[in-house]
């Protein structure tokens, strides 16, 4: 293999730039050329492709977003769209592709590999919802952003003696809600993976109130319910003054944490190693702090799970 490509696709996540940098520099270090594909699979279809040099990825390791830009595209889900993409790759003489992104991007990488085009997936999403890896690139940064926001909201919750419902991202997964709720001592965490009982939640909040607790923080995963509708239910059930804060897109941006930069560097470089070793249709990940790789199709069939012991612990500690 003499020439590979790299793209980012789907929602951006902090650390994607560090992953791009690792792919480019590891490839050049291994004496192969790297081409950047702009705007994900949409850009691939259009041939928005350019050669990257060592300097192309200078000064990006600490920046959020993605220097290759990103997009969500329906066309690539069709066979015709994918064929256009493969034609572009062949035109540029690109023999293998590193796809950095989440679930949807991995489906694209799987389909390309099934059509005979070698791809390796690098998990980049704030949702942490990719099976086969303990952590995805961007999750740690988003988590710290959420914690920072909740700390600030807590000041107001305390000052006004209010209940705050905070809606966090995560698509269908509750990881961001669970980890931030545990890290912030939230009174209640609502995640799609665990059914909730409003009577029980209201009873817990009231019990806390009777003990002298004057404010409460409730973290709701967007995949479970909207913060606004949950906030209404809480106010009805408790009669406590309740406010809702939807954190939204601040969770997707910002300087990547050290953990995300290191993870992205390790995973990006490993993806290049796999392509050079003739592997294809694999995803890279980290499990128990060791780099791993799995068949991408098999990984996509697995269901993302959450650590239910952690969920139980969050309840025990937030009495
Ligand atoms: O996958 C990342 C994510 O931010 C999810 O948490 C959220 O549900 C979704 O993307 C939002 O997507 P969009 O950027 O298309 O609005």
């Amino acid at each position: 293999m003499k020439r590979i490509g790299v793209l980012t696709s789907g929602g951006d996540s902090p650390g994607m730039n560090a992953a791009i940098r690792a792919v480019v520099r590891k490839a050049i270090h291994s004496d192969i050329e790297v081409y950047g594909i702009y705007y994900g699979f949409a850009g691939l279809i259009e041939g928005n492709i350019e050669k990257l040099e060592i300097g192309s990825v200078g000064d990006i390791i600490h920046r959020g977003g993605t220097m290759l830009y990103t997009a969500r595209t329906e066309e690539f889900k069709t066979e015709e769209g994918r064929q256009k993409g493969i034609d572009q790759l062949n035109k540029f003489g690109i023999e293998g592709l590193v796809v950095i992104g989440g679930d949807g991007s991995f489906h694209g990488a799987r389909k390309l590999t099934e059509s005979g085009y070698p791809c390796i997936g690098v998990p980049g999403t704030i949702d942490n919802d990719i099976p086969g890896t303990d952590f995805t690139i961007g999750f740690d940064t988003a988590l710290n952003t959420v914690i920072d926001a909740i700390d600030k909201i807590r000041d107001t919750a305390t000052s006004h003696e209010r209940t705050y419902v905070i809606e966090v991202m995560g698509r269908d997964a509750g990881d961001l809600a669970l980890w931030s709720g545990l890290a912030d001592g939230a009174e209640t965490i609502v995640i799609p993976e665990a059914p909730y009982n409003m009577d029980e939640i209201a009873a817990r909040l009231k019990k806390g109130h009777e003990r002298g607790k004057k404010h409460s923080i409730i973290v709701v995963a967007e995949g479970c319910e909207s913060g606004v509708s949950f906030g209404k239910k809480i106010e009805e059930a408790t009669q406590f003054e309740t406010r809702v804060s939807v954190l939204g897109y601040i969770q997707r941006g910002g300087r990547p944490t050290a953990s995300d930069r290191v993870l992205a560097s390790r995973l990006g470089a490993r993806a290049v190693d796999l392509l050079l070793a003739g592997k294809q249709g694999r995803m890279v990940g980290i499990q128990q702090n060791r780099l791993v790789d799995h068949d991408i199709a098999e990984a996509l069939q697995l269901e993302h799970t959450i650590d239910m012991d952690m969920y139980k612990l969050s309840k025990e500690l937030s009495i």
Side-chain angles (χ1 to χ4, degrees):
M1 200 168 274
K2 281 277 154 232
R3 187 176 289 174
I4 65 168
V6 57
L7 62 79
T8 49
S9 158
D12 65 324
S13 73
M16 278 184 163
N17 276 329
I20 297 166
R21 174 180 177 271
V23 170
V24 171
R25 296 216 167 150
K26 180 72 183 181
I28 293 173
H29 183 77
S30 311
D31 282 332
I32 53 172
E33 291 179 343
V34 201
Y35 279 67
I37 293 134
Y38 292 84
Y39 301 99
F41 292 122
L44 176 60
I45 289 171
E46 287 164 12
N48 198 341
I49 299 172
E50 192 177 81
K51 189 172 180 210
L52 299 176
E53 308 289 353
I54 291 180
S56 315
V57 290
D59 211 21
I60 62 165
I61 195 167
H62 62 299
R63 294 189 202 281
T66 158
M67 66 158 275
L68 289 177
Y69 302 91
T70 185
R72 301 190 196 275
T73 167
E74 287 302 310
E75 194 181 354
F76 204 73
K77 291 181 184 158
T78 67
E79 218 171 304
E80 281 170 343
R82 285 194 296 277
Q83 192 51 53
K84 283 189 200 165
I86 292 175
D87 291 346
Q88 293 289 0
L89 289 163
N90 289 335
K91 187 172 128 197
F92 281 83
I94 298 168
E95 298 162 274
L97 184 64
V98 177
V99 174
I100 305 167
D103 183 72
S105 317
F106 274 28
H107 277 287
R110 174 179 65 88
K111 287 278 189 190
L112 272 185
T113 304
E114 282 168 6
S115 312
Y117 195 87
C119 289
I120 304 289
V122 176
T125 164
I126 63 163
D127 301 332
N128 207 40
D129 60 348
I130 307 275
T133 185
D134 292 342
F135 297 107
T136 56
I137 297 164
F139 173 66
D140 186 64
T141 307
L143 175 60
N144 279 284
T145 302
V146 172
I147 288 168
D148 190 45
I150 297 179
D151 286 347
K152 287 175 177 148
I153 291 169
R154 187 181 282 282
D155 289 345
T156 301
T158 316
S159 304
H160 284 264
E161 301 189 342
R162 283 175 184 158
T163 297
Y164 270 84
V165 171
I166 298 159
E167 181 192 306
V168 302
M169 279 186 168
R171 214 163 55 120
D172 300 323
D175 295 55
L176 258 185
L178 176 58
W179 283 67
S180 62
L182 181 59
D184 243 305
E187 276 66 30
T188 299
I189 300 171
V190 184
I191 52 173
E193 294 84 354
Y196 71 80
N197 178 321
M198 186 49 82
D199 292 340
E200 186 210 315
I201 293 173
R204 276 162 63 88
L205 293 177
K206 283 182 183 162
K207 210 166 143 203
H209 205 73
E210 280 156 21
R211 260 195 318 109
K213 226 178 198 181
K214 296 277 196 292
H215 67 273
S216 300
I217 298 286
I218 299 169
V219 181
V220 179
E222 66 171 356
C224 191
E225 186 166 340
S226 87
V228 172
S229 99
F230 196 81
K232 278 194 193 124
K233 288 184 192 166
I234 284 285
E235 200 161 48
E236 272 165 27
T238 62
Q239 304 302 310
F240 298 156
E241 187 181 10
T242 304
R243 292 283 194 276
V244 177
S245 205
V246 180
L247 297 189
Y249 290 93
I250 62 161
Q251 296 162 95
R252 282 249 291 265
R255 285 173 61 225
T257 57
S259 279
D260 272 331
R261 296 181 202 188
V262 171
L263 178 63
S265 302
R266 294 175 76 191
L267 294 183
R270 176 57 69 97
V272 175
D273 282 340
L274 291 181
L275 276 180
L276 292 183
K279 302 265 175 68
Q280 51 179 289
R282 311 288 294 173
M283 65 159 281
V284 291
I286 188 153
Q287 287 176 317
Q288 295 171 353
N289 205 26
R290 294 174 76 106
L291 294 187
V292 293
D293 59 275
H294 302 287
D295 183 272
I296 207 164
E298 283 172 17
L300 282 171
Q301 270 166 10
L302 299 173
E303 209 180 311
H304 168 68
T305 52
I306 208 154
D307 186 342
M308 289 313 281
D309 286 340
M310 238 171 89
Y311 179 66
K312 206 171 133 235
L313 179 67
S314 75
K315 285 193 161 194
E316 288 166 356
L317 300 187
S318 68
I319 293 168

